[in-house]
Amino acid sequence: MNDILIQNIGELILPKKTEGPLKGKELNDLKIVNNGTVVVKDGKVVYAGEHTEEYEAKEVIDATNQVVSPGLVDAHTHLVFGGSREHEMALKQQGVSYLDILKQGGGILSTVESTRNASEEALYNKSKKEIVRMIQFGTTTVEAKSGYGLDKETELKQLDVAHRLEENTPIRMKHTFLGPHAVPKDAKDNATFLQEMIDLLDDVKDKADFADIFCETGVFTVEESRRYMQAAKDKGLKVKIHADEIDPLGGLGLAIDEGAISADHLVASSEEDKQSLNNSQTIAVLLPGTTFYLGKDQYADARGMLDNNGAIAIATDFNPGSCVTDNLQLVMSIAALKLKLTPNEIWNAVTVNAAKAIDAEAGTIEAGDQADIVVWDIPNHEYLPYHYGVNHAQIVIIDGKKVYENTGLITES
């Protein structure tokens, strides 16, 4: 007998399974089945489609007037870190820029100090709380970056904590080494520190799926980033890049040239680089929650990227300084309001395309797929980005097991 039968589904969201990411107009192509059925057995999807009475199961979930989708995929987070930076909010409100806060020893460098001083157990317990919240908001697959160590011991500690989290929580994870996230205060110079991070690739290549670098004014140049990315590829790692977040340095063009799986942020990317997305499989991972949190007026040009037949995904950028949220649903709303994306585009951007951006087997519900599924207490798929700032996830299923259910208020009899 099957394990779970989800029946009477108001709307069943079925993103298209493709070899590469959905590009341009394809992102708006989303199959919606009314009165759908999903069947799960042994952690896998057996059937997903129109209503049928052919199946029985140990547990039947009645999803009348509800929506069912693949689990959300958060393709860009800085999950493991020590401390917090709430004191920086006042500086930002006074108009102090992120780069100026960095120069004052705040920003990334403040978190680096806290992360270096934190024990592995403290980092594990802190990060586990974030994962629980992510799951409750419907995220079933997450990418976790290092980058708050800037030294061998702490970078390895962050990666080890992330692997412990993967082993001891239901969530699926991908791991990214972001050693060159900033230049530490005690570094001799950029070139010397970058070489240290390149040398560290031998130690992290069995712990990480990707290598990432922050290509930005005051951090690493395009040429320094190219050198790092090529070294990482030589070690067998796929590459990502934090690019064009503040200044249009050409990080997106570099990502395309180097065949990066993704280029992330891209608020300031040039028209020329956006046009280059047309002939590339590199996915633009856009982080509108970060722009929102920093109070900026200019958001990444999602519509321009799609008009150039680019592939985009949406992620939280969960981190302690510039986007302090575990709620990918909230970021979906910001993507609608500020990136002007349609509901169809948004659902694809946080499922199938987000999965492609981290090379994860996730984001679709077809026979044979991992059964990572969310039942949403919403009347239709357009409602989630519309009704923002709350949690619409009713039931979260990972690997065919129910891991979260919102059962409502606890009341005394």
Side-chain angles (χ1 to χ4, degrees):
M1 183 174 285
N2 298 296
D3 299 319
I4 296 175
L5 170 64
I6 310 175
Q7 194 68 288
N8 306 318
I9 300 167
E11 285 190 356
L12 173 58
I13 297 175
L14 296 175
K16 185 188 300 181
K17 187 186 286 288
T18 59
E19 194 67 30
L22 299 174
K23 300 184 68 176
K25 294 180 180 179
E26 292 177 331
L27 199 69
N28 201 44
D29 183 9
L30 183 66
K31 184 177 181 180
I32 305 290
V33 174
N34 296 312
N35 191 20
T37 297
V38 175
V39 183
V40 174
K41 182 175 182 175
D42 297 332
K44 301 287 186 180
V45 175
V46 174
Y47 172 84
E50 296 179 354
H51 177 80
T52 176
E53 301 285 351
E54 293 182 13
Y55 297 92
E56 295 182 347
K58 299 172 186 175
E59 180 174 6
V60 177
I61 298 171
D62 183 359
T64 300
N65 298 323
Q66 295 183 319
V67 172
V68 170
S69 80
L72 304 185
V73 179
D74 197 342
H76 183 129
T77 82
H78 301 256
L79 178 65
V80 180
F81 59 85
S84 59
R85 302 204 322 246
E86 60 273 15
H87 57 282
E88 291 180 10
M89 285 194 76
L91 295 175
K92 292 168 186 171
Q93 289 164 350
Q94 295 165 22
V96 181
S97 73
Y98 172 76
L99 293 178
D100 285 338
I101 291 173
L102 190 63
K103 289 176 184 176
Q104 295 173 22
I108 291 173
L109 298 180
S110 171
T111 300
V112 167
E113 183 176 359
S114 297
T115 307
R116 287 178 175 180
N117 292 333
S119 68
E120 181 175 319
E121 199 64 25
L123 290 175
Y124 174 81
N125 290 332
K126 184 176 188 296
S127 303
K128 187 176 180 180
K129 291 179 182 179
E130 309 298 345
I131 280 185
V132 169
R133 278 193 285 260
M134 288 178 177
I135 291 172
Q136 290 172 337
F137 283 118
T139 296
T140 58
T141 302
V142 65
E143 180 254 21
K145 302 180 189 292
S146 68
Y148 291 125
L150 311 184
D151 62 18
K152 179 177 179 178
E153 179 183 359
T154 315
E155 291 293 319
L156 293 176
K157 178 171 66 174
Q158 282 189 271
L159 290 168
D160 287 342
V161 167
H163 279 282
R164 278 186 64 191
L165 291 165
E166 183 179 23
E167 291 167 4
N168 293 293
T169 68
I171 208 162
R172 302 186 190 280
M173 295 184 73
K174 289 286 186 171
H175 306 274
T176 299
F177 171 58
L178 179 57
H181 192 193
V183 180
K185 291 180 287 188
D186 54 359
K188 179 181 177 182
D189 52 45
N190 277 34
T192 302
F193 173 69
L194 184 62
Q195 186 58 50
E196 291 176 6
M197 294 299 101
I198 290 173
D199 292 342
L200 190 49
L201 290 168
D202 278 323
D203 294 282
V204 305
K205 65 184 181 182
D206 294 329
K207 298 175 181 285
D209 302 290
F210 312 103
D212 198 345
I213 186 168
F214 192 6
C215 180
E216 189 53 75
T217 301
V219 194
F220 297 100
T221 67
V222 168
E223 286 311 311
E224 287 170 332
S225 301
R226 187 188 307 277
R227 179 183 165 214
Y228 172 79
M229 293 170 82
Q230 290 178 348
K233 288 192 294 183
D234 287 344
K235 300 295 183 182
L237 288 164
K238 296 179 181 180
V239 292
K240 294 175 166 285
I241 187 170
H242 282 57
D244 304 335
E245 179 179 2
I246 301 168
D247 294 323
L249 299 189
L252 174 55
L254 171 63
I256 293 169
D257 289 345
E258 292 298 324
I261 191 169
S262 77
D264 302 25
H265 285 291
L266 310 183
V267 175
S269 293
S270 69
E271 291 300 320
E272 180 182 1
D273 284 351
K274 285 183 283 188
Q275 290 170 8
S276 297
L277 284 168
N278 179 47
N279 299 313
S280 170
Q281 292 297 300
T282 295
I283 300 169
V285 177
L286 308 184
L287 311 168
T290 304
T291 307
F292 170 81
Y293 187 83
L294 293 176
K296 302 292 186 181
D297 294 325
Q298 181 184 350
Y299 283 76
D301 181 18
R303 294 254 57 95
M305 294 174 188
L306 292 175
D307 289 344
N308 283 304
N309 199 40
I312 69 169
I314 303 296
T316 61
D317 190 24
F318 169 68
N319 74 83
S322 61
C323 196
V324 197
T325 184
D326 309 291
N327 186 353
L328 187 52
Q329 295 176 51
L330 174 61
V331 177
M332 291 167 71
S333 295
I334 298 171
L337 295 168
K338 298 298 185 179
L339 301 187
K340 310 302 182 186
L341 296 177
T342 69
N344 285 10
E345 290 169 338
I346 292 167
W347 281 104
N348 277 324
V350 296
T351 55
V352 61
N353 267 23
K356 297 295 184 186
I358 57 172
D359 197 22
E361 294 293 327
T364 58
I365 308 177
E366 292 190 5
D369 285 350
Q370 296 171 158
D372 298 346
I373 299 164
V374 181
V375 179
W376 304 95
D377 189 17
I378 53 178
N380 56 69
H381 72 289
E382 296 179 332
Y383 190 89
L384 189 148
Y386 154 77
H387 188 169
Y388 73 99
V390 299
N391 186 9
H392 296 289
Q394 183 71 22
I395 298 171
V396 179
I397 296 166
I398 300 179
D399 198 27
K401 299 179 180 64
K402 190 188 293 184
V403 297
Y404 167 75
E405 183 170 9
N406 180 6
T407 55
L409 291 174
I410 299 173
T411 58
E412 295 182 3
S413 58

mmCIF file of all heavy atoms in Angstrom, residues 77-103:
data_model
loop_
_atom_site.group_PDB
_atom_site.id
_atom_site.type_symbol
_atom_site.label_atom_id
_atom_site.label_comp_id
_atom_site.label_asym_id
_atom_site.label_seq_id
_atom_site.Cartn_x
_atom_site.Cartn_y
_atom_site.Cartn_z
ATOM 1 N N THR A 77 22.034 30.867 0.695
ATOM 2 C CA THR A 77 21.976 31.251 2.107
ATOM 3 C C THR A 77 23.372 31.222 2.715
ATOM 4 O O THR A 77 24.260 30.507 2.240
ATOM 5 C CB THR A 77 21.075 30.320 2.952
ATOM 6 O OG1 THR A 77 21.804 29.137 3.332
ATOM 7 C CG2 THR A 77 19.797 29.940 2.221
ATOM 8 N N HIS A 78 23.518 32.006 3.766
ATOM 9 C CA HIS A 78 24.735 31.986 4.592
ATOM 10 C C HIS A 78 24.315 31.426 5.950
ATOM 11 O O HIS A 78 24.249 32.148 6.944
ATOM 12 C CB HIS A 78 25.312 33.393 4.710
ATOM 13 C CG HIS A 78 25.660 34.013 3.391
ATOM 14 N ND1 HIS A 78 26.966 34.117 2.936
ATOM 15 C CD2 HIS A 78 24.890 34.543 2.416
ATOM 16 C CE1 HIS A 78 26.974 34.699 1.742
ATOM 17 N NE2 HIS A 78 25.726 34.960 1.407
ATOM 18 N N LEU A 79 24.007 30.160 5.971
ATOM 19 C CA LEU A 79 23.272 29.549 7.068
ATOM 20 C C LEU A 79 24.041 29.509 8.383
ATOM 21 O O LEU A 79 23.466 29.748 9.455
ATOM 22 C CB LEU A 79 22.858 28.129 6.656
ATOM 23 C CG LEU A 79 22.108 27.305 7.691
ATOM 24 C CD1 LEU A 79 20.754 27.919 7.996
ATOM 25 C CD2 LEU A 79 21.939 25.873 7.182
ATOM 26 N N VAL A 80 25.331 29.200 8.332
ATOM 27 C CA VAL A 80 26.100 28.932 9.548
ATOM 28 C C VAL A 80 26.953 30.146 9.898
ATOM 29 O O VAL A 80 27.874 30.508 9.165
ATOM 30 C CB VAL A 80 26.996 27.695 9.363
ATOM 31 C CG1 VAL A 80 27.789 27.417 10.637
ATOM 32 C CG2 VAL A 80 26.159 26.474 8.972
ATOM 33 N N PHE A 81 26.635 30.785 11.017
ATOM 34 C CA PHE A 81 27.432 31.939 11.456
ATOM 35 C C PHE A 81 27.214 32.165 12.945
ATOM 36 O O PHE A 81 26.226 31.730 13.521
ATOM 37 C CB PHE A 81 27.053 33.207 10.675
ATOM 38 C CG PHE A 81 25.614 33.611 10.797
ATOM 39 C CD1 PHE A 81 25.169 34.381 11.870
ATOM 40 C CD2 PHE A 81 24.687 33.216 9.850
ATOM 41 C CE1 PHE A 81 23.836 34.751 11.995
ATOM 42 C CE2 PHE A 81 23.339 33.575 9.957
ATOM 43 C CZ PHE A 81 22.924 34.347 11.035
ATOM 44 N N GLY A 82 28.142 32.883 13.543
ATOM 45 C CA GLY A 82 28.025 33.237 14.948
ATOM 46 C C GLY A 82 27.531 34.663 15.120
ATOM 47 O O GLY A 82 27.711 35.512 14.252
ATOM 48 N N GLY A 83 26.910 34.933 16.265
ATOM 49 C CA GLY A 83 26.516 36.292 16.607
ATOM 50 C C GLY A 83 25.368 36.833 15.773
ATOM 51 O O GLY A 83 24.672 36.110 15.075
ATOM 52 N N SER A 84 25.185 38.156 15.858
ATOM 53 C CA SER A 84 24.150 38.862 15.104
ATOM 54 C C SER A 84 24.600 40.319 14.972
ATOM 55 O O SER A 84 25.574 40.744 15.603
ATOM 56 C CB SER A 84 22.800 38.775 15.814
ATOM 57 O OG SER A 84 22.882 39.325 17.120
ATOM 58 N N ARG A 85 23.889 41.082 14.133
ATOM 59 C CA ARG A 85 24.352 42.447 13.844
ATOM 60 C C ARG A 85 23.208 43.455 13.872
ATOM 61 O O ARG A 85 23.146 44.368 13.058
ATOM 62 C CB ARG A 85 25.055 42.475 12.480
ATOM 63 C CG ARG A 85 26.222 41.518 12.401
ATOM 64 C CD ARG A 85 27.285 41.811 11.415
ATOM 65 N NE ARG A 85 26.927 42.331 10.149
ATOM 66 C CZ ARG A 85 27.074 41.694 8.967
ATOM 67 N NH1 ARG A 85 27.511 40.440 8.956
ATOM 68 N NH2 ARG A 85 26.784 42.280 7.836
ATOM 69 N N GLU A 86 22.311 43.308 14.841
ATOM 70 C CA GLU A 86 21.174 44.216 14.897
ATOM 71 C C GLU A 86 21.589 45.668 15.140
ATOM 72 O O GLU A 86 20.888 46.608 14.746
ATOM 73 C CB GLU A 86 20.173 43.766 15.971
ATOM 74 C CG GLU A 86 20.720 43.702 17.385
ATOM 75 C CD GLU A 86 21.384 42.373 17.708
ATOM 76 O OE1 GLU A 86 21.679 41.602 16.774
ATOM 77 O OE2 GLU A 86 21.616 42.121 18.898
ATOM 78 N N HIS A 87 22.777 45.869 15.765
ATOM 79 C CA HIS A 87 23.248 47.232 16.030
ATOM 80 C C HIS A 87 23.552 48.005 14.741
ATOM 81 O O HIS A 87 23.591 49.240 14.753
ATOM 82 C CB HIS A 87 24.502 47.192 16.901
ATOM 83 C CG HIS A 87 25.621 46.399 16.308
ATOM 84 N ND1 HIS A 87 25.642 45.015 16.352
ATOM 85 C CD2 HIS A 87 26.732 46.771 15.638
ATOM 86 C CE1 HIS A 87 26.730 44.581 15.737
ATOM 87 N NE2 HIS A 87 27.402 45.620 15.290
ATOM 88 N N GLU A 88 23.754 47.290 13.633
ATOM 89 C CA GLU A 88 24.058 47.972 12.379
ATOM 90 C C GLU A 88 22.831 48.622 11.744
ATOM 91 O O GLU A 88 22.959 49.463 10.845
ATOM 92 C CB GLU A 88 24.695 47.000 11.378
ATOM 93 C CG GLU A 88 26.086 46.550 11.776
ATOM 94 C CD GLU A 88 26.699 45.585 10.782
ATOM 95 O OE1 GLU A 88 26.136 45.409 9.688
ATOM 96 O OE2 GLU A 88 27.743 44.988 11.108
ATOM 97 N N MET A 89 21.634 48.253 12.202
ATOM 98 C CA MET A 89 20.430 48.838 11.622
ATOM 99 C C MET A 89 20.427 50.354 11.778
ATOM 100 O O MET A 89 20.046 51.094 10.863
ATOM 101 C CB MET A 89 19.172 48.245 12.257
ATOM 102 C CG MET A 89 18.846 46.837 11.807
ATOM 103 S SD MET A 89 17.179 46.321 12.262
ATOM 104 C CE MET A 89 16.218 47.208 11.042
ATOM 105 N N ALA A 90 20.857 50.843 12.954
ATOM 106 C CA ALA A 90 20.871 52.283 13.191
ATOM 107 C C ALA A 90 21.835 52.983 12.236
ATOM 108 O O ALA A 90 21.550 54.069 11.724
ATOM 109 C CB ALA A 90 21.247 52.581 14.639
ATOM 110 N N LEU A 91 22.990 52.365 11.977
ATOM 111 C CA LEU A 91 23.949 52.953 11.040
ATOM 112 C C LEU A 91 23.357 53.044 9.643
ATOM 113 O O LEU A 91 23.499 54.056 8.951
ATOM 114 C CB LEU A 91 25.241 52.117 11.016
ATOM 115 C CG LEU A 91 26.063 52.089 12.310
ATOM 116 C CD1 LEU A 91 27.236 51.113 12.168
ATOM 117 C CD2 LEU A 91 26.574 53.480 12.656
ATOM 118 N N LYS A 92 22.685 51.989 9.223
ATOM 119 C CA LYS A 92 22.069 51.984 7.904
ATOM 120 C C LYS A 92 20.985 53.058 7.795
ATOM 121 O O LYS A 92 20.844 53.720 6.772
ATOM 122 C CB LYS A 92 21.491 50.594 7.606
ATOM 123 C CG LYS A 92 22.561 49.519 7.436
ATOM 124 C CD LYS A 92 21.944 48.127 7.431
ATOM 125 C CE LYS A 92 23.021 47.061 7.411
ATOM 126 N NZ LYS A 92 22.483 45.697 7.623
ATOM 127 N N GLN A 93 20.231 53.227 8.894
ATOM 128 C CA GLN A 93 19.174 54.237 8.896
ATOM 129 C C GLN A 93 19.752 55.656 8.808
ATOM 130 O O GLN A 93 19.084 56.572 8.327
ATOM 131 C CB GLN A 93 18.307 54.077 10.150
ATOM 132 C CG GLN A 93 17.433 52.824 10.106
ATOM 133 C CD GLN A 93 16.883 52.446 11.465
ATOM 134 O OE1 GLN A 93 17.284 53.007 12.482
ATOM 135 N NE2 GLN A 93 15.966 51.490 11.486
ATOM 136 N N GLN A 94 20.998 55.807 9.258
ATOM 137 C CA GLN A 94 21.678 57.105 9.167
ATOM 138 C C GLN A 94 22.330 57.324 7.808
ATOM 139 O O GLN A 94 22.922 58.369 7.564
ATOM 140 C CB GLN A 94 22.744 57.212 10.265
ATOM 141 C CG GLN A 94 22.181 57.223 11.677
ATOM 142 C CD GLN A 94 23.239 56.954 12.732
ATOM 143 O OE1 GLN A 94 24.431 57.149 12.487
ATOM 144 N NE2 GLN A 94 22.815 56.493 13.901
ATOM 145 N N GLY A 95 22.215 56.318 6.935
ATOM 146 C CA GLY A 95 22.752 56.453 5.591
ATOM 147 C C GLY A 95 24.171 55.951 5.416
ATOM 148 O O GLY A 95 24.776 56.162 4.356
ATOM 149 N N VAL A 96 24.718 55.274 6.419
ATOM 150 C CA VAL A 96 26.063 54.726 6.294
ATOM 151 C C VAL A 96 26.013 53.537 5.345
ATOM 152 O O VAL A 96 25.204 52.620 5.527
ATOM 153 C CB VAL A 96 26.622 54.291 7.668
ATOM 154 C CG1 VAL A 96 28.037 53.734 7.517
ATOM 155 C CG2 VAL A 96 26.604 55.469 8.642
ATOM 156 N N SER A 97 26.858 53.523 4.332
ATOM 157 C CA SER A 97 26.818 52.475 3.314
ATOM 158 C C SER A 97 27.396 51.170 3.848
ATOM 159 O O SER A 97 28.150 51.154 4.831
ATOM 160 C CB SER A 97 27.604 52.899 2.074
ATOM 161 O OG SER A 97 28.998 52.856 2.328
ATOM 162 N N TYR A 98 27.042 50.086 3.155
ATOM 163 C CA TYR A 98 27.560 48.770 3.549
ATOM 164 C C TYR A 98 29.081 48.746 3.515
ATOM 165 O O TYR A 98 29.729 48.241 4.442
ATOM 166 C CB TYR A 98 26.999 47.692 2.614
ATOM 167 C CG TYR A 98 27.630 46.341 2.829
ATOM 168 C CD1 TYR A 98 27.275 45.555 3.921
ATOM 169 C CD2 TYR A 98 28.614 45.861 1.964
ATOM 170 C CE1 TYR A 98 27.863 44.331 4.143
ATOM 171 C CE2 TYR A 98 29.210 44.639 2.181
ATOM 172 C CZ TYR A 98 28.828 43.876 3.270
ATOM 173 O OH TYR A 98 29.441 42.666 3.488
ATOM 174 N N LEU A 99 29.672 49.323 2.456
ATOM 175 C CA LEU A 99 31.136 49.308 2.340
ATOM 176 C C LEU A 99 31.787 50.143 3.434
ATOM 177 O O LEU A 99 32.870 49.799 3.929
ATOM 178 C CB LEU A 99 31.565 49.798 0.944
ATOM 179 C CG LEU A 99 31.175 48.874 -0.222
ATOM 180 C CD1 LEU A 99 31.606 49.487 -1.553
ATOM 181 C CD2 LEU A 99 31.790 47.486 -0.063
ATOM 182 N N ASP A 100 31.141 51.224 3.865
ATOM 183 C CA ASP A 100 31.684 52.031 4.960
ATOM 184 C C ASP A 100 31.590 51.279 6.286
ATOM 185 O O ASP A 100 32.496 51.359 7.121
ATOM 186 C CB ASP A 100 30.935 53.365 5.060
ATOM 187 C CG ASP A 100 31.328 54.342 3.961
ATOM 188 O OD1 ASP A 100 32.441 54.170 3.410
ATOM 189 O OD2 ASP A 100 30.540 55.253 3.652
ATOM 190 N N ILE A 101 30.487 50.560 6.492
ATOM 191 C CA ILE A 101 30.374 49.731 7.698
ATOM 192 C C ILE A 101 31.466 48.672 7.709
ATOM 193 O O ILE A 101 32.078 48.378 8.742
ATOM 194 C CB ILE A 101 28.972 49.086 7.765
ATOM 195 C CG1 ILE A 101 27.908 50.156 8.032
ATOM 196 C CG2 ILE A 101 28.912 48.002 8.840
ATOM 197 C CD1 ILE A 101 26.478 49.645 7.959
ATOM 198 N N LEU A 102 31.749 48.112 6.533
ATOM 199 C CA LEU A 102 32.814 47.111 6.408
ATOM 200 C C LEU A 102 34.164 47.712 6.785
ATOM 201 O O LEU A 102 34.957 47.097 7.500
ATOM 202 C CB LEU A 102 32.840 46.570 4.976
ATOM 203 C CG LEU A 102 33.707 45.346 4.689
ATOM 204 C CD1 LEU A 102 33.221 44.137 5.468
ATOM 205 C CD2 LEU A 102 33.726 45.043 3.201
ATOM 206 N N LYS A 103 34.423 48.939 6.328
ATOM 207 C CA LYS A 103 35.699 49.606 6.627
ATOM 208 C C LYS A 103 35.864 49.864 8.126
ATOM 209 O O LYS A 103 36.977 49.918 8.647
ATOM 210 C CB LYS A 103 35.784 50.928 5.863
ATOM 211 C CG LYS A 103 35.971 50.778 4.361
ATOM 212 C CD LYS A 103 35.941 52.139 3.675
ATOM 213 C CE LYS A 103 36.032 51.990 2.160
ATOM 214 N NZ LYS A 103 35.897 53.300 1.471
#
